[in-house]
Amino acid sequence: MSQIPVISSEPYEIRRIEHTRLRRRLLEGTWEEDLHNRLQIHLGTVRKAAWGYPDMSSNIYRQVCRSLSALYVMAPDVTHPTRMPAAVDLVEKIQRSGLWATMNRFQQLVVGCREYWQRVHVAADGRLTFRPVAPDMTVARSFADRPDYPVAVHELRERLDVAGKPIWTWDVLDISNPDNPIYEVRAYVDGGKMGEDLSGVYLGGSYSGAAYPYRRNDGRPILPYVLYHAERIGDRLWDAWEGVEVVEGSLNIAVSYSMLFHAIKDSSWPQRYIVGAEPQGATLEGGVSSARREVVSDPATVLMLRATDEQQPVIGQWQAGADVTQLEQTIAASANRLAQDAGVSPADIQRMGGTARSGYAIALSNEGKREAQRAYSQSFRESDEELVMKAAILLNRVLGTQYPEGGYSVQYRSIPLSGSELDARRKHALELLDAGLMTRIDALRLFDDSLTEQDAAAMLAEIDAMNKAREMADDAVEMEAEEETPEHEAAPGDVVEDIAEGEETASADS
């Protein structure tokens, strides 16, 4: 892909896009140039060249985003209140599309970039696809009375022209005027402006106005995009700067680890010296802007020196230039603080000691993952339900199906409890139920915090109905057994009682 061009001339949008692209590079592993730039700022040209290649082995920001993304460890349950066959078929079609298998990675992008798009597409053969779209590749607009919900999206996409040469184009979709929705492909012009209309080339015709293809069954237009928010705050479309401290700190931690590697390599051992002499064999290293004279020193080498005067040279030894243990502990403490700033509990920050892996790592316990699931479930649920709804709408328009166009519910599966956790919660729930301090609904939700109160009540009603049906069946069996016993035949228990009474009477007469 060619270099991504500037997509806006507005100062705020330019800053948002540049910062979001930095976050995306950190999440995708393409941040080497950013680290080089940060080293240049901190060290200057000469010292940076002396340090050598930077250490990219630590990326706290990516570790944090990955650890907090536990919502799609297992595929969520998608249901419709009618449970009609068409709704079940849609759920299966989405499952077969592979959407849920990609959502764990997608959540990392949402958590890291704060927002991310999913675009729904139905191919001519009926195949359903979902394409993630980076927020730094889009310019969007919303209504003032609902500022976090987009009504217009301009997406920058790379296509091939008629000669097979890659060019940048705009996908323009706008439903701000429901009576005249717009869907166009426009040429990109330097500075992020719109060029000529290329809809005929790439879409095969005009799809604006009455020809707009993305509509509900009542004709209302929709966007084929769903904007996911890491956190809904309701007063803006983009929340691009939240957590900027962790982004900056992650780059600085990488600089610190580069210094640690430099210290281990070049100054973690004592250096011998001689006063009254100068080293021999110095070579010129570096480019024009970072030129320096360098002599290779190592614990296994002897420095060759030349006397500078007639006095006797003084021979000595410096201690190690850096205490790498203390330096590493200082860096680890900074990483710990960054993880806490990002919302990771201190109890879930674990040192991966005793393994081949060095450095600091963020590893969430199962309870920590459940907390992360609870934190993100509400925001993601709204977007997931909208995504399922739009998939149904697009399938209905393209294939003529009759999927319900709303009412879907998405429930996330919590990380399973361990045996000890289950036993502790069971005892706790039974004690509170016996004391009258907990309802059965609360007790059920204690074992599955993804259940809503309505879902738990429905589940309990179903359980009660099953238990009542079982009791009625048992009663019916007992009644049938009693009816099959003849009246003139005494039951075994009655016979025993009669014998006992006869023996008592005989004893009394004697």
Side-chain angles (χ1 to χ4, degrees):
M1 179 178 288
S2 57
Q3 184 177 1
I4 301 176
V6 177
I7 68 174
S8 177
S9 58
E10 298 181 10
Y12 173 80
E13 281 291 281
I14 292 174
R15 291 178 61 243
R16 176 188 71 82
I17 291 167
E18 288 180 350
H19 181 68
T20 302
R21 287 178 181 173
L22 168 61
R23 292 185 179 222
R24 195 149 62 93
R25 289 193 296 270
L26 284 169
L27 294 171
E28 296 175 350
T30 57
W31 55 288
E32 179 182 346
E33 185 176 352
D34 298 293
L35 180 54
H36 277 288
N37 294 337
R38 189 58 58 98
L39 285 166
Q40 180 69 33
I41 293 172
H42 283 293
L43 305 174
T45 303
V46 176
R47 289 183 63 198
K48 176 179 178 295
W51 278 27
Y53 196 79
D55 184 359
M56 294 181 62
S57 63
S58 175
N59 187 340
I60 300 300
Y61 189 64
R62 185 178 184 182
Q63 290 182 35
V64 167
C65 294
R66 181 183 298 170
S67 297
L68 292 175
S69 301
L71 205 55
Y72 301 94
V73 173
M74 294 176 287
D77 294 319
V78 183
T79 58
H80 194 271
T82 63
R83 298 186 179 180
M84 57 190 303
V88 175
D89 181 66
L90 174 66
V91 172
E92 293 177 353
K93 187 180 287 288
I94 292 175
Q95 179 72 32
R96 291 194 300 270
S97 73
L99 171 67
W100 305 123
T102 65
M103 288 300 284
N104 189 56
R105 169 65 176 159
F106 180 76
Q107 187 187 3
Q108 297 175 31
L109 295 171
V110 177
V111 172
C113 296
R114 304 301 297 170
E115 285 88 22
Y116 226 88
W117 301 91
Q118 280 278 16
R119 181 168 179 174
V120 191
H121 178 69
V122 180
D125 60 358
R127 185 167 50 92
L128 187 64
T129 61
F130 301 88
R131 179 171 60 88
V133 179
D136 56 90
M137 300 296 289
T138 62
V139 177
R141 190 175 74 255
S142 59
F143 283 139
D145 57 350
R146 194 176 180 185
D148 64 337
Y149 190 80
V151 294
V153 180
H154 299 171
E155 180 193 351
L156 186 68
R157 297 183 65 180
E158 190 175 40
R159 289 183 165 93
L160 298 177
D161 62 12
V162 292
K165 179 182 177 181
I167 62 170
W168 288 103
T169 62
W170 287 105
D171 275 15
V172 180
L173 293 101
D174 190 337
I175 60 170
S176 57
N177 181 2
D179 296 328
N180 186 31
I182 298 172
Y183 178 26
E184 298 175 339
V185 175
R186 305 288 293 271
Y188 169 85
V189 179
D190 290 344
K193 298 179 181 179
M194 301 284 178
E196 63 176 313
D197 190 346
L198 302 177
S199 301
V201 177
Y202 295 105
L203 300 181
S206 174
Y207 284 93
S208 297
Y212 187 79
Y214 308 119
R215 297 177 182 270
R216 299 174 183 267
N217 54 16
D218 60 3
R220 288 178 296 165
I222 65 167
L223 293 175
Y225 295 88
V226 176
L227 182 60
Y228 281 73
H229 298 271
E231 181 182 9
R232 293 184 181 272
I233 54 179
D235 65 343
R236 71 198 71 170
L237 194 61
W238 308 114
D239 190 27
W241 304 103
E242 174 65 24
V244 63
E245 302 84 2
V246 184
V247 176
E248 292 296 309
S250 184
L251 284 172
N252 290 334
I253 290 293
V255 171
S256 299
Y257 272 114
S258 297
M259 179 180 180
L260 174 64
F261 185 76
H262 167 64
I264 294 173
K265 177 169 61 78
D266 295 329
S267 59
S268 61
W269 35 269
Q271 174 64 60
R272 299 175 181 86
Y273 65 88
I274 295 179
V275 178
E278 62 182 8
Q280 299 184 51
T283 59
L284 186 64
E285 298 291 338
V288 176
S289 60
S290 61
R292 65 191 184 281
R293 300 196 67 82
E294 185 177 275
V295 174
V296 176
S297 61
D298 188 83
T301 64
V302 177
L303 291 178
M304 302 299 292
L305 304 170
R306 179 191 303 112
T308 56
D309 51 42
E310 296 180 356
Q311 296 180 359
Q312 179 69 25
V314 177
I315 302 174
Q317 176 177 286
W318 288 303
Q319 296 300 316
D323 187 335
V324 294
T325 301
Q326 291 294 327
L327 180 58
E328 185 181 18
Q329 290 177 357
T330 301
I331 299 172
S334 298
N336 187 311
R337 176 179 56 80
L338 277 179
Q340 293 182 50
D341 289 345
V344 178
S345 170
D348 294 319
I349 303 174
Q350 302 175 4
R351 178 72 176 218
M352 305 296 286
T355 67
R357 180 175 179 176
S358 62
Y360 228 75
I362 308 302
L364 287 183
S365 63
N366 280 345
E367 185 57 35
K369 291 179 181 179
R370 294 188 197 101
E371 291 179 2
Q373 286 181 319
R374 288 190 289 269
Y376 290 107
S377 61
Q378 191 60 41
S379 177
F380 277 77
R381 180 178 291 112
E382 182 176 343
S383 297
D384 278 338
E385 291 174 353
E386 182 184 353
L387 189 68
V388 174
M389 177 194 72
K390 290 188 174 181
I393 293 173
L394 267 62
L395 285 168
N396 288 345
R397 300 293 83 76
V398 174
L399 303 179
T401 51
Q402 297 297 322
Y403 296 128
E405 297 187 357
Y408 295 95
S409 175
V410 175
Q411 297 296 329
Y412 304 103
R413 298 184 184 182
S414 180
I415 302 295
L417 296 170
S418 64
S420 59
E421 288 175 322
L422 280 171
D423 186 59
R425 291 197 183 189
R426 179 182 61 81
K427 292 179 179 178
H428 175 68
L430 290 176
E431 290 175 358
L432 291 181
L433 284 170
D434 291 340
L437 300 176
M438 175 182 280
T439 66
R440 294 170 65 214
I441 290 177
D442 291 335
L444 187 59
R445 295 181 69 190
L446 186 65
F447 291 88
D448 187 356
D449 50 23
S450 66
L451 285 175
T452 64
E453 186 172 344
Q454 292 78 8
D455 291 335
M459 186 177 295
L460 285 173
E462 187 174 350
I463 292 173
D464 291 340
M466 291 174 57
N467 290 336
K468 186 175 181 179
R470 187 180 297 111
E471 290 175 2
M472 293 177 64
D474 292 341
D475 291 342
V477 171
E478 292 179 2
M479 292 178 62
E480 184 177 354
E482 291 176 358
E483 291 175 355
E484 291 177 354
T485 303
E487 294 181 358
H488 65 276
E489 292 185 5
D494 296 336
V495 173
V496 173
E497 291 178 359
D498 291 343
I499 294 173
E501 290 178 358
E503 291 176 350
E504 291 177 359
T505 304
S507 299
D509 293 340
S510 62

